[in-house]
Amino acid sequence: MTLTTVPRKLASPALVLGIESSCDETGVALVQAQPGNAVPTLLAQALHSQIDMHQAYGGVVPELASRDHIRRVVPLVRQVMHEARHPLADLHAIAFTQGPGLAGALLVGAGVACALAAALGKPVIGMHHLEGHLLSPFLSADPPEFPFVALLVSGGHTQLMRVDGVGRYALLGETIDDAAGEAFDKSAKLLGLGYPGGPALARMAEFGDAEAFALPRPLLHSGDLDFSFAGLKTAVLTQANRLGKNACDLNRANLAASTQAAIVEVLVKKSLKALDATGLQRLVVAGGVGANLELRHQLQQACNKRGVRVHYPELALCTDNGAMVALAAAMRLQAGIAQPRYDYAFDVKPRWPLATLEAA
């Protein structure tokens, strides 16, 4: 027999522990939620990145990622609870990333969360990774207000969403092939840059001329809000082959700058089109690519001209982290739409479109 709690709004303060293990970062955080609509308070967080381990392979090795999560997650839970000065018994619920992500990595976080919750007699909440990114700007010094347009640029995802409230998301457009993050990473690999490729390409772009190479802007004038970056990647490959393996640093920097400019222009103009289509005056940018400084600069300039507010998570919260998972779960509890469970049977969803996420 499966026992679940009936979703209802919080009647008293609640501590929510969040565990993130969808890819190559193990994140744990504790937030406190209050009854009503006040943004939950981040009490403590800890993060371990696997970048150094995966650099030798030029990308994430799923089996190694899963094994490292096993090593890290319990010590991180202890660290967070110690820093917050709360015993585990004080927890109201434990949230974990249920998907999307690497199946093995997700299973580690889900297994630990459910085992810990069972030992404590606390409920668990399976969370959507992208919803965590979507709501992460609420932890910033300048949190947004509903409704808003959200540009989600995280790893293999590039999406534009209309967000009317917690759990109320409407897909406006998405990538039909490579996402912006993949375009950054794959282009960086073509240029012989290290892992992770996106930040490495952005650093090299600082020394280049963004107009040195005429690269395509796929779907820029398509009339819809969808994205495509596969053609751009192919164009970068063509130019990289012309430069050859012994290309000078200046030419590589120019190609990096031109690549970044193409990606950023598409993201900015599509975001503005989404604002026009919805009539909204608030834009939220979230996900790993949201840390790109050129994207932030271009969006800020464009939005200032239109009188549109633009919000970002703090740079440290752009990457995968436990704070966004705990926050999203806490906001769902506040809204009365979370579904905490006491049965502790778990599964993961490596592929889980955000548009299919139910509000209740």
Side-chain angles (χ1 to χ4, degrees), residues 18-29 45-51 53-54 64-80 97 104-106 108-110 112 129 316 319-325:
I19 298 176
E20 156 62 24
S21 66
S22 63
C23 190
D24 60 346
E25 280 146 339
T26 314
V28 177
Q45 66 168 326
L47 181 72
H48 174 77
S49 174
Q50 302 174 1
I51 286 177
M53 180 177 67
H54 295 295
L64 294 181
S66 300
R67 292 184 180 186
D68 200 62
H69 287 308
I70 293 172
R71 295 175 54 206
R72 307 292 180 178
V73 63
V74 172
L76 290 179
V77 169
R78 290 174 177 155
Q79 177 183 335
V80 164
T97 300
L106 290 167
V108 175
V112 170
H129 177 81
T319 58
D320 298 343
N321 60 86
M324 69 183 193
V325 177

Short mmCIF file of all heavy atoms in Angstrom, two decimals, residues 18-29 45-51 53-54 64-80 97 104-106 108-110 112 129 316 319-325:
data_model
loop_
_atom_site.label_atom_id
_atom_site.label_comp_id
_atom_site.label_asym_id
_atom_site.label_seq_id
_atom_site.Cartn_x
_atom_site.Cartn_y
_atom_site.Cartn_z
N GLY A 18 17.85 19.67 0.45
CA GLY A 18 17.86 19.39 -0.99
C GLY A 18 19.13 18.68 -1.40
O GLY A 18 20.23 19.05 -0.96
N ILE A 19 19.00 17.65 -2.24
CA ILE A 19 20.14 16.88 -2.73
C ILE A 19 20.12 16.89 -4.26
O ILE A 19 19.13 16.49 -4.87
CB ILE A 19 20.11 15.43 -2.21
CG1 ILE A 19 20.22 15.42 -0.68
CG2 ILE A 19 21.24 14.61 -2.83
CD1 ILE A 19 20.09 14.03 -0.07
N GLU A 20 21.20 17.33 -4.87
CA GLU A 20 21.34 17.40 -6.32
C GLU A 20 22.49 16.50 -6.77
O GLU A 20 23.62 16.62 -6.27
CB GLU A 20 21.59 18.85 -6.75
CG GLU A 20 22.30 19.04 -8.08
CD GLU A 20 21.55 18.50 -9.29
OE1 GLU A 20 20.31 18.37 -9.24
OE2 GLU A 20 22.22 18.21 -10.29
N SER A 21 22.21 15.59 -7.72
CA SER A 21 23.26 14.68 -8.21
C SER A 21 23.00 14.29 -9.67
O SER A 21 23.26 13.16 -10.05
CB SER A 21 23.32 13.42 -7.35
OG SER A 21 22.13 12.65 -7.49
N SER A 22 22.49 15.23 -10.46
CA SER A 22 22.05 14.87 -11.81
C SER A 22 23.19 14.66 -12.80
O SER A 22 23.01 13.99 -13.81
CB SER A 22 21.10 15.94 -12.36
OG SER A 22 21.77 17.18 -12.49
N CYS A 23 24.36 15.25 -12.53
CA CYS A 23 25.45 15.14 -13.51
C CYS A 23 26.80 15.04 -12.81
O CYS A 23 27.12 14.02 -12.22
CB CYS A 23 25.40 16.30 -14.49
SG CYS A 23 26.51 16.12 -15.90
N ASP A 24 27.58 16.12 -12.84
CA ASP A 24 28.95 16.05 -12.33
C ASP A 24 29.19 16.96 -11.13
O ASP A 24 30.32 17.31 -10.84
CB ASP A 24 29.94 16.38 -13.44
CG ASP A 24 29.74 17.76 -14.03
OD1 ASP A 24 28.68 18.37 -13.77
OD2 ASP A 24 30.63 18.24 -14.76
N GLU A 25 28.13 17.33 -10.42
CA GLU A 25 28.27 18.11 -9.20
C GLU A 25 27.35 17.53 -8.14
O GLU A 25 26.18 17.26 -8.41
CB GLU A 25 27.94 19.58 -9.45
CG GLU A 25 29.10 20.33 -10.08
CD GLU A 25 28.67 21.41 -11.05
OE1 GLU A 25 27.54 21.34 -11.54
OE2 GLU A 25 29.47 22.31 -11.31
N THR A 26 27.90 17.34 -6.96
CA THR A 26 27.11 16.87 -5.84
C THR A 26 26.79 18.08 -4.97
O THR A 26 27.68 18.72 -4.43
CB THR A 26 27.89 15.84 -4.99
OG1 THR A 26 28.51 14.89 -5.85
CG2 THR A 26 26.96 15.13 -4.03
N GLY A 27 25.50 18.39 -4.85
CA GLY A 27 25.09 19.57 -4.10
C GLY A 27 24.10 19.22 -3.01
O GLY A 27 23.20 18.40 -3.21
N VAL A 28 24.29 19.82 -1.86
CA VAL A 28 23.39 19.64 -0.72
C VAL A 28 23.14 21.01 -0.11
O VAL A 28 24.07 21.82 0.00
CB VAL A 28 23.98 18.69 0.34
CG1 VAL A 28 23.04 18.57 1.54
CG2 VAL A 28 24.25 17.31 -0.26
N ALA A 29 21.91 21.28 0.28
CA ALA A 29 21.59 22.57 0.89
C ALA A 29 20.40 22.43 1.81
O ALA A 29 19.58 21.52 1.68
CB ALA A 29 21.31 23.63 -0.18
N GLN A 45 24.79 25.55 2.52
CA GLN A 45 24.91 24.73 1.32
C GLN A 45 26.35 24.27 1.15
O GLN A 45 27.28 24.89 1.68
CB GLN A 45 24.47 25.50 0.06
CG GLN A 45 25.35 26.69 -0.30
CD GLN A 45 25.03 27.22 -1.69
OE1 GLN A 45 24.68 26.48 -2.59
NE2 GLN A 45 25.16 28.53 -1.86
N ALA A 46 26.53 23.18 0.44
CA ALA A 46 27.85 22.64 0.15
C ALA A 46 27.81 22.01 -1.23
O ALA A 46 26.79 21.45 -1.64
CB ALA A 46 28.26 21.61 1.20
N LEU A 47 28.92 22.11 -1.94
CA LEU A 47 28.97 21.62 -3.32
C LEU A 47 30.33 21.01 -3.59
O LEU A 47 31.36 21.57 -3.22
CB LEU A 47 28.72 22.78 -4.29
CG LEU A 47 28.72 22.45 -5.78
CD1 LEU A 47 27.46 21.68 -6.15
CD2 LEU A 47 28.81 23.72 -6.63
N HIS A 48 30.31 19.86 -4.24
CA HIS A 48 31.55 19.26 -4.72
C HIS A 48 31.46 19.11 -6.23
O HIS A 48 30.54 18.48 -6.76
CB HIS A 48 31.81 17.89 -4.10
CG HIS A 48 33.01 17.21 -4.70
ND1 HIS A 48 34.30 17.57 -4.37
CD2 HIS A 48 33.11 16.23 -5.64
CE1 HIS A 48 35.15 16.83 -5.08
NE2 HIS A 48 34.45 16.01 -5.85
N SER A 49 32.42 19.70 -6.95
CA SER A 49 32.48 19.61 -8.40
C SER A 49 33.46 18.52 -8.82
O SER A 49 34.53 18.36 -8.24
CB SER A 49 32.90 20.95 -9.01
OG SER A 49 33.09 20.83 -10.40
N GLN A 50 33.07 17.78 -9.87
CA GLN A 50 33.91 16.71 -10.39
C GLN A 50 34.75 17.15 -11.59
O GLN A 50 35.30 16.31 -12.30
CB GLN A 50 33.04 15.52 -10.79
CG GLN A 50 32.20 14.94 -9.67
CD GLN A 50 31.26 13.85 -10.17
OE1 GLN A 50 31.25 13.50 -11.34
NE2 GLN A 50 30.46 13.31 -9.27
N ILE A 51 34.86 18.44 -11.83
CA ILE A 51 35.54 18.94 -13.02
C ILE A 51 36.95 18.36 -13.14
O ILE A 51 37.35 17.88 -14.21
CB ILE A 51 35.59 20.48 -13.01
CG1 ILE A 51 34.20 21.05 -13.33
CG2 ILE A 51 36.61 21.00 -14.03
CD1 ILE A 51 34.13 22.56 -13.29
N MET A 53 38.22 15.65 -12.06
CA MET A 53 38.21 14.22 -12.37
C MET A 53 37.91 13.95 -13.84
O MET A 53 38.49 13.07 -14.46
CB MET A 53 37.19 13.49 -11.49
CG MET A 53 37.12 11.99 -11.73
SD MET A 53 35.96 11.19 -10.59
CE MET A 53 34.40 11.87 -11.15
N HIS A 54 36.98 14.73 -14.41
CA HIS A 54 36.54 14.48 -15.78
C HIS A 54 37.41 15.16 -16.84
O HIS A 54 37.30 14.84 -18.03
CB HIS A 54 35.09 14.93 -15.96
CG HIS A 54 34.11 14.14 -15.15
ND1 HIS A 54 33.87 12.81 -15.35
CD2 HIS A 54 33.30 14.52 -14.12
CE1 HIS A 54 32.95 12.38 -14.50
NE2 HIS A 54 32.60 13.41 -13.73
N LEU A 64 31.95 7.12 -13.61
CA LEU A 64 32.80 7.81 -12.63
C LEU A 64 32.00 8.85 -11.85
O LEU A 64 32.21 9.03 -10.64
CB LEU A 64 33.98 8.47 -13.33
CG LEU A 64 35.00 7.54 -14.00
CD1 LEU A 64 36.12 8.36 -14.64
CD2 LEU A 64 35.57 6.55 -12.99
N ALA A 65 31.10 9.53 -12.54
CA ALA A 65 30.27 10.53 -11.87
C ALA A 65 29.43 9.89 -10.77
O ALA A 65 29.34 10.39 -9.65
CB ALA A 65 29.38 11.23 -12.89
N SER A 66 28.81 8.76 -11.09
CA SER A 66 27.95 8.08 -10.11
C SER A 66 28.75 7.64 -8.90
O SER A 66 28.32 7.82 -7.74
CB SER A 66 27.28 6.86 -10.76
OG SER A 66 26.49 7.25 -11.87
N ARG A 67 29.91 7.07 -9.13
CA ARG A 67 30.73 6.60 -8.01
C ARG A 67 31.18 7.76 -7.12
O ARG A 67 31.24 7.62 -5.89
CB ARG A 67 31.95 5.85 -8.55
CG ARG A 67 31.62 4.53 -9.22
CD ARG A 67 32.87 3.79 -9.63
NE ARG A 67 32.57 2.53 -10.28
CZ ARG A 67 33.48 1.63 -10.64
NH1 ARG A 67 34.77 1.87 -10.41
NH2 ARG A 67 33.12 0.50 -11.21
N ASP A 68 31.48 8.89 -7.74
CA ASP A 68 31.92 10.02 -6.93
C ASP A 68 30.78 10.60 -6.11
O ASP A 68 30.98 11.03 -4.97
CB ASP A 68 32.53 11.10 -7.82
CG ASP A 68 33.42 12.06 -7.04
OD1 ASP A 68 34.42 11.59 -6.47
OD2 ASP A 68 33.10 13.25 -6.97
N HIS A 69 29.56 10.60 -6.67
CA HIS A 69 28.41 11.05 -5.88
C HIS A 69 28.25 10.20 -4.63
O HIS A 69 27.93 10.71 -3.55
CB HIS A 69 27.12 10.96 -6.72
CG HIS A 69 27.01 12.01 -7.78
ND1 HIS A 69 27.16 13.35 -7.52
CD2 HIS A 69 26.72 11.91 -9.10
CE1 HIS A 69 26.99 14.04 -8.65
NE2 HIS A 69 26.73 13.18 -9.62
N ILE A 70 28.45 8.89 -4.77
CA ILE A 70 28.33 7.98 -3.62
C ILE A 70 29.30 8.39 -2.51
O ILE A 70 28.97 8.38 -1.32
CB ILE A 70 28.59 6.52 -4.06
CG1 ILE A 70 27.47 6.05 -5.00
CG2 ILE A 70 28.67 5.60 -2.84
CD1 ILE A 70 27.74 4.70 -5.64
N ARG A 71 30.51 8.76 -2.90
CA ARG A 71 31.53 9.16 -1.93
C ARG A 71 31.21 10.48 -1.24
O ARG A 71 31.54 10.67 -0.07
CB ARG A 71 32.90 9.29 -2.61
CG ARG A 71 33.48 8.02 -3.17
CD ARG A 71 34.76 8.32 -3.92
NE ARG A 71 35.71 9.06 -3.08
CZ ARG A 71 36.65 9.87 -3.57
NH1 ARG A 71 36.74 10.09 -4.87
NH2 ARG A 71 37.49 10.48 -2.74
N ARG A 72 30.59 11.38 -1.97
CA ARG A 72 30.50 12.77 -1.49
C ARG A 72 29.21 13.12 -0.76
O ARG A 72 29.22 13.99 0.11
CB ARG A 72 30.63 13.72 -2.69
CG ARG A 72 31.85 13.49 -3.56
CD ARG A 72 33.13 13.84 -2.85
NE ARG A 72 34.29 13.60 -3.74
CZ ARG A 72 35.54 13.86 -3.40
NH1 ARG A 72 35.81 14.35 -2.21
NH2 ARG A 72 36.54 13.61 -4.25
N VAL A 73 28.10 12.50 -1.12
CA VAL A 73 26.81 13.04 -0.71
C VAL A 73 26.60 12.99 0.80
O VAL A 73 26.13 13.97 1.41
CB VAL A 73 25.65 12.36 -1.47
CG1 VAL A 73 25.57 10.86 -1.17
CG2 VAL A 73 24.34 13.05 -1.17
N VAL A 74 26.92 11.90 1.46
CA VAL A 74 26.68 11.81 2.91
C VAL A 74 27.56 12.80 3.68
O VAL A 74 27.06 13.52 4.56
CB VAL A 74 26.87 10.37 3.42
CG1 VAL A 74 26.81 10.33 4.94
CG2 VAL A 74 25.77 9.47 2.83
N PRO A 75 28.87 12.89 3.40
CA PRO A 75 29.67 13.92 4.08
C PRO A 75 29.14 15.34 3.85
O PRO A 75 29.21 16.19 4.76
CB PRO A 75 31.07 13.75 3.48
CG PRO A 75 31.12 12.31 3.07
CD PRO A 75 29.74 12.01 2.59
N LEU A 76 28.62 15.61 2.67
CA LEU A 76 28.08 16.95 2.40
C LEU A 76 26.81 17.20 3.21
O LEU A 76 26.58 18.32 3.69
CB LEU A 76 27.79 17.11 0.90
CG LEU A 76 29.02 17.20 -0.01
CD1 LEU A 76 28.58 17.33 -1.47
CD2 LEU A 76 29.90 18.39 0.36
N VAL A 77 25.98 16.18 3.37
CA VAL A 77 24.79 16.33 4.21
C VAL A 77 25.21 16.67 5.64
O VAL A 77 24.65 17.58 6.28
CB VAL A 77 23.94 15.04 4.19
CG1 VAL A 77 22.85 15.10 5.27
CG2 VAL A 77 23.30 14.84 2.83
N ARG A 78 26.19 15.94 6.16
CA ARG A 78 26.67 16.22 7.51
C ARG A 78 27.22 17.64 7.63
O ARG A 78 26.98 18.34 8.63
CB ARG A 78 27.75 15.21 7.88
CG ARG A 78 27.23 13.78 8.10
CD ARG A 78 28.37 12.82 8.31
NE ARG A 78 27.90 11.47 8.59
CZ ARG A 78 28.61 10.38 8.36
NH1 ARG A 78 29.84 10.48 7.84
NH2 ARG A 78 28.12 9.18 8.65
N GLN A 79 27.97 18.06 6.61
CA GLN A 79 28.56 19.40 6.64
C GLN A 79 27.48 20.48 6.67
O GLN A 79 27.56 21.44 7.45
CB GLN A 79 29.44 19.59 5.40
CG GLN A 79 30.06 20.98 5.28
CD GLN A 79 30.87 21.14 4.00
OE1 GLN A 79 31.38 20.17 3.44
NE2 GLN A 79 31.00 22.38 3.54
N VAL A 80 26.46 20.32 5.83
CA VAL A 80 25.39 21.32 5.75
C VAL A 80 24.61 21.40 7.07
O VAL A 80 24.34 22.49 7.58
CB VAL A 80 24.45 21.00 4.57
CG1 VAL A 80 23.14 21.76 4.69
CG2 VAL A 80 25.13 21.33 3.26
N THR A 97 16.80 15.55 -6.66
CA THR A 97 16.58 15.69 -8.09
C THR A 97 16.20 14.33 -8.66
O THR A 97 16.97 13.38 -8.63
CB THR A 97 17.85 16.21 -8.78
OG1 THR A 97 18.19 17.49 -8.24
CG2 THR A 97 17.62 16.35 -10.28
N GLY A 104 22.40 6.91 -13.59
CA GLY A 104 23.16 6.43 -12.45
C GLY A 104 23.39 7.49 -11.40
O GLY A 104 23.28 7.24 -10.20
N ALA A 105 23.71 8.70 -11.86
CA ALA A 105 23.94 9.80 -10.93
C ALA A 105 22.66 10.17 -10.18
O ALA A 105 22.67 10.40 -8.97
CB ALA A 105 24.48 11.00 -11.69
N LEU A 106 21.55 10.21 -10.89
CA LEU A 106 20.27 10.51 -10.26
C LEU A 106 19.91 9.47 -9.20
O LEU A 106 19.38 9.80 -8.13
CB LEU A 106 19.15 10.56 -11.31
CG LEU A 106 19.18 11.73 -12.29
CD1 LEU A 106 18.21 11.48 -13.44
CD2 LEU A 106 18.82 13.04 -11.59
N VAL A 108 21.81 7.80 -7.27
CA VAL A 108 22.57 7.99 -6.03
C VAL A 108 21.84 8.99 -5.12
O VAL A 108 21.59 8.71 -3.95
CB VAL A 108 24.00 8.48 -6.32
CG1 VAL A 108 24.72 8.80 -5.01
CG2 VAL A 108 24.77 7.44 -7.11
N GLY A 109 21.50 10.15 -5.66
CA GLY A 109 20.81 11.16 -4.85
C GLY A 109 19.46 10.68 -4.37
O GLY A 109 19.08 10.89 -3.22
N ALA A 110 18.71 10.00 -5.26
CA ALA A 110 17.39 9.50 -4.89
C ALA A 110 17.50 8.45 -3.80
O ALA A 110 16.72 8.45 -2.83
CB ALA A 110 16.70 8.93 -6.13
N VAL A 112 19.95 7.93 -1.55
CA VAL A 112 20.37 8.50 -0.27
C VAL A 112 19.23 9.28 0.37
O VAL A 112 18.97 9.17 1.58
CB VAL A 112 21.61 9.40 -0.46
CG1 VAL A 112 21.90 10.20 0.80
CG2 VAL A 112 22.81 8.55 -0.84
N HIS A 129 14.92 18.92 -12.14
CA HIS A 129 16.18 19.68 -12.17
C HIS A 129 16.00 21.07 -12.77
O HIS A 129 16.52 22.07 -12.24
CB HIS A 129 17.19 18.88 -13.00
CG HIS A 129 18.52 19.54 -13.18
ND1 HIS A 129 19.50 19.51 -12.22
CD2 HIS A 129 19.02 20.26 -14.23
CE1 HIS A 129 20.55 20.18 -12.66
NE2 HIS A 129 20.29 20.64 -13.87
N ALA A 316 27.29 31.75 -8.35
CA ALA A 316 27.53 30.46 -7.71
C ALA A 316 26.33 29.53 -7.81
O ALA A 316 26.46 28.32 -7.63
CB ALA A 316 27.89 30.68 -6.24
N THR A 319 25.38 27.07 -11.73
CA THR A 319 25.69 25.66 -11.95
C THR A 319 24.74 24.80 -11.11
O THR A 319 23.98 25.30 -10.28
CB THR A 319 27.14 25.35 -11.57
OG1 THR A 319 27.34 25.69 -10.19
CG2 THR A 319 28.11 26.15 -12.43
N ASP A 320 24.77 23.49 -11.33
CA ASP A 320 23.93 22.59 -10.56
C ASP A 320 24.29 22.70 -9.07
O ASP A 320 25.47 22.71 -8.71
CB ASP A 320 24.13 21.15 -11.01
CG ASP A 320 23.74 20.96 -12.48
OD1 ASP A 320 23.03 21.84 -13.02
OD2 ASP A 320 24.13 19.95 -13.07
N ASN A 321 23.27 22.75 -8.21
CA ASN A 321 23.53 22.91 -6.78
C ASN A 321 22.33 22.45 -5.97
O ASN A 321 21.20 22.36 -6.48
CB ASN A 321 23.85 24.38 -6.46
CG ASN A 321 22.72 25.32 -6.83
OD1 ASN A 321 21.80 25.51 -6.04
ND2 ASN A 321 22.74 25.86 -8.05
N GLY A 322 22.57 22.14 -4.72
CA GLY A 322 21.50 21.68 -3.86
C GLY A 322 20.55 22.77 -3.44
O GLY A 322 19.38 22.50 -3.13
N ALA A 323 21.00 24.02 -3.43
CA ALA A 323 20.15 25.12 -2.99
C ALA A 323 18.92 25.26 -3.88
O ALA A 323 17.82 25.50 -3.40
CB ALA A 323 20.96 26.42 -2.98
N MET A 324 19.11 25.11 -5.19
CA MET A 324 17.97 25.27 -6.10
C MET A 324 16.95 24.16 -5.91
O MET A 324 15.74 24.37 -6.08
CB MET A 324 18.45 25.35 -7.56
CG MET A 324 19.00 24.06 -8.12
SD MET A 324 19.62 24.29 -9.81
CE MET A 324 19.80 22.55 -10.32
N VAL A 325 17.42 22.96 -5.57
CA VAL A 325 16.51 21.83 -5.35
C VAL A 325 15.71 22.05 -4.07
O VAL A 325 14.47 21.88 -4.04
CB VAL A 325 17.30 20.51 -5.28
CG1 VAL A 325 16.37 19.34 -4.97
CG2 VAL A 325 18.05 20.28 -6.58
#
